[in-house]
Amino acid sequence: MPSLLWDCWPSLEIRALLCAMGCIQSIGGKARVFREGITVVDVKASIDPIPTSIDESSSVVLRYRTPHFRASAQVVMPPIPRKETWVVGWIQACSHMEFYNKYGEHGMSSWELPDLQEGKIEAISDSDGVNYPWYGNTTETCTIVGPTKRDSKFIISMNDNFYPSVTWAVPVSESNVAKLTDIYRDQSFTTWLVATNTSTNDMIILQTLRWRMQLSIEVNPTRPLGQRARLREPIAQDQPKILSKNEPIPPSALVKPNANDAQVLMWRPKFGQPLVVIPPKHR
């Protein structure tokens, strides 16, 4: 991670794209000053105003790609008088997930987060699985090592989207005949801009965002490949919300496992007992 002032400036391409789209949610103008003198000059968040794209090029799976959620913030860290390290970056957690793939009268497959679904936790980490609790460690974070003699100015940015593959055939069957009829997905996320003193573990929440991705695809498996799937409403996603009051981060959003490692793929037949198709990587 970078430690010098100018090393903390990532590419400005994301900021240019956000401004060009014209649908950005933004808090700008008056800077917000937080504890330790950390200043947030500007926060931007948006979801690309394009529909989910569907790819039927494979005879084995249907693929789809959702529009990107994007967030960026301009931050000013005052001089650090002592020998200590601060990390500023994005932390994200999933607070709700419904993800069903229906196969007509046969049943459905379902990606599930058991602890979240059963109410044992409020949210689950959406870290990259390596750099807990951070969403990533490239443009998503900036590290400032003290002591420093002048302000450190930098932009923190992140983006997220879904690009899964769904089998045309029933996943627990040896048949390769297409039976897929519906895909439904509804996920909600909370994203925090955070500053952490790694020496004291002091954490300051600078901004809280909320966003949601909804998807519905109708599939006619009897049609020729390339003509089976149709995107249903919503075509365009609701734009993210930049909250006026910050929300606390649930403890489960800061530790292992992340959502990808905790999710399990279930087969839920119309008749009979549910079956685990892919167990969680982390129990």
Side-chain angles (χ1 to χ4, degrees), residues 1-4 8 34-39 75-89 134 140-148 152 154 156 193-206:
M1 293 185 185
S3 59
L4 299 177
C8 286
F34 294 84
R35 189 156 46 94
E36 307 292 344
I38 301 169
T39 304
V75 181
V76 180
M77 175 71 72
I80 302 173
R82 295 172 294 277
K83 186 179 180 180
E84 59 186 25
T85 300
W86 283 84
V87 181
V88 181
W134 308 106
E140 298 89 359
T141 59
C142 184
T143 302
I144 306 95
V145 179
T148 59
S152 300
F154 48 90
I156 304 294
L193 178 65
V194 174
T196 298
N197 184 324
T198 62
S199 304
T200 63
N201 291 324
D202 190 21
M203 179 177 286
I204 303 170
I205 300 175
L206 305 175

Side-chain angles (χ1 to χ4, degrees), residues 40-111:
V40 179
V41 180
D42 195 15
V43 177
K44 292 182 171 68
S46 69
I47 294 178
D48 293 351
I50 58 174
T52 294
S53 62
I54 300 173
D55 178 2
E56 293 189 37
S57 60
S58 169
S59 61
V60 178
V61 295
L62 177 151
R63 297 184 180 94
Y64 62 84
R65 188 190 299 270
T66 64
H68 281 80
F69 161 78
R70 304 181 191 273
S72 70
Q74 184 176 349
V75 181
V76 180
M77 175 71 72
I80 302 173
R82 295 172 294 277
K83 186 179 180 180
E84 59 186 25
T85 300
W86 283 84
V87 181
V88 181
W90 296 104
I91 294 173
Q92 181 164 280
C94 176
S95 56
H96 176 81
M97 184 173 84
E98 295 176 78
F99 187 178
Y100 309 122
N101 306 309
K102 297 182 180 179
Y103 293 83
E105 295 299 310
H106 299 275
M108 69 178 188
S109 64
S110 175
W111 283 103

Side-chain angles (χ1 to χ4, degrees), residues 10-261:
S11 167
L12 297 182
E13 292 179 358
I14 291 179
R15 287 175 60 83
L17 175 61
L18 289 173
C19 293
M21 291 192 303
C23 63
I24 193 168
Q25 301 293 312
S26 175
I27 292 181
K30 186 177 179 181
R32 302 178 67 187
V33 181
F34 294 84
R35 189 156 46 94
E36 307 292 344
I38 301 169
T39 304
V40 179
V41 180
D42 195 15
V43 177
K44 292 182 171 68
S46 69
I47 294 178
D48 293 351
I50 58 174
T52 294
S53 62
I54 300 173
D55 178 2
E56 293 189 37
S57 60
S58 169
S59 61
V60 178
V61 295
L62 177 151
R63 297 184 180 94
Y64 62 84
R65 188 190 299 270
T66 64
H68 281 80
F69 161 78
R70 304 181 191 273
S72 70
Q74 184 176 349
V75 181
V76 180
M77 175 71 72
I80 302 173
R82 295 172 294 277
K83 186 179 180 180
E84 59 186 25
T85 300
W86 283 84
V87 181
V88 181
W90 296 104
I91 294 173
Q92 181 164 280
C94 176
S95 56
H96 176 81
M97 184 173 84
E98 295 176 78
F99 187 178
Y100 309 122
N101 306 309
K102 297 182 180 179
Y103 293 83
E105 295 299 310
H106 299 275
M108 69 178 188
S109 64
S110 175
W111 283 103
E112 301 173 9
L113 295 166
D115 284 353
L116 185 65
Q117 196 167 335
E118 295 167 13
K120 294 180 180 178
I121 57 175
E122 185 179 343
I124 189 166
S125 169
D126 198 33
S127 163
D128 61 2
V130 177
N131 301 283
Y132 287 93
W134 308 106
Y135 183 76
N137 72 337
T138 53
T139 64
E140 298 89 359
T141 59
C142 184
T143 302
I144 306 95
V145 179
T148 59
K149 295 182 179 180
R150 56 177 178 169
D151 289 352
S152 300
K153 302 177 182 180
F154 48 90
I155 295 171
I156 304 294
S157 63
M158 65 165 286
N159 71 84
D160 190 11
N161 80 321
F162 309 143
Y163 185 37
S165 300
V166 182
T167 58
W168 292 110
V170 173
V172 296
S173 169
E174 294 183 359
S175 169
N176 59 2
V177 177
K179 298 293 183 180
L180 180 67
T181 54
D182 290 277
I183 296 174
Y184 176 79
R185 189 166 185 169
D186 186 356
Q187 282 184 255
S188 297
F189 298 88
T190 306
T191 309
W192 295 269
L193 178 65
V194 174
T196 298
N197 184 324
T198 62
S199 304
T200 63
N201 291 324
D202 190 21
M203 179 177 286
I204 303 170
I205 300 175
L206 305 175
Q207 189 64 62
T208 307
L209 314 176
R210 283 190 176 275
W211 64 282
R212 180 183 184 185
M213 189 72 73
Q214 296 175 280
L215 174 80
S216 181
I217 297 175
E218 179 183 9
V219 182
N220 184 342
T222 65
R223 294 185 63 83
L225 188 64
Q227 302 175 25
R228 295 173 178 171
R230 181 179 68 87
L231 184 65
R232 291 185 293 216
E233 295 289 345
I235 302 299
Q237 301 295 320
D238 292 337
Q239 289 301 310
K241 295 180 180 179
I242 300 178
L243 304 188
S244 58
K245 183 178 179 181
N246 283 322
E247 295 186 353
I249 304 176
S252 56
L254 300 173
V255 296
K256 296 182 178 181
N258 70 344
N260 285 341
D261 288 346

